[in-house]
Amino acid sequence: MTAEESTPRTTGVTVRLPAELADALKNYAFVTDTSANEVIKRALIEYLKIHGRAEIMESAFQRVVRQHSVALEKLENM
């Protein structure tokens, strides 16, 4: 296995934060001896574990309802 194969692929993302939140992030990262990137990554993983699946399912359901609204209305009136 080459070093390239063992290194996870990453993508850069720009996040705009209010100054107060950015300062809190920098302070937390400093105090915990962690990079701000790692703090954000962990927070996002935790958030998606808690909220991601339910919100994705709700969004998908709403999309299907919108896309098939005519058929669903016809079935309702049968």
Side-chain angles (χ1 to χ4, degrees):
M1 180 180 281
T2 67
E4 191 173 286
E5 291 172 334
S6 64
T7 304
R9 195 179 130 231
T10 61
T11 301
V13 177
T14 300
V15 178
R16 298 196 185 285
L17 301 173
E20 185 177 288
L21 185 55
D23 289 341
L25 171 62
K26 289 175 192 174
N27 290 335
Y28 181 84
F30 177 77
V31 169
T32 60
D33 195 29
T34 308
S35 71
N37 185 76
E38 186 64 22
V39 173
I40 292 171
K41 184 173 72 172
R42 289 177 187 172
L44 183 56
I45 289 168
E46 188 63 25
Y47 179 88
L48 291 174
K49 281 182 186 176
I50 295 169
H51 301 284
R53 182 160 175 80
E55 290 175 5
I56 288 170
M57 295 304 291
E58 176 66 22
S59 176
F61 174 76
Q62 292 301 328
R63 187 177 323 122
V64 168
V65 168
R66 280 192 310 274
Q67 288 174 345
H68 301 287
S69 62
V70 173
L72 291 170
E73 287 173 13
K74 288 180 180 180
L75 287 172
E76 182 180 60
N77 297 323
M78 290 183 94

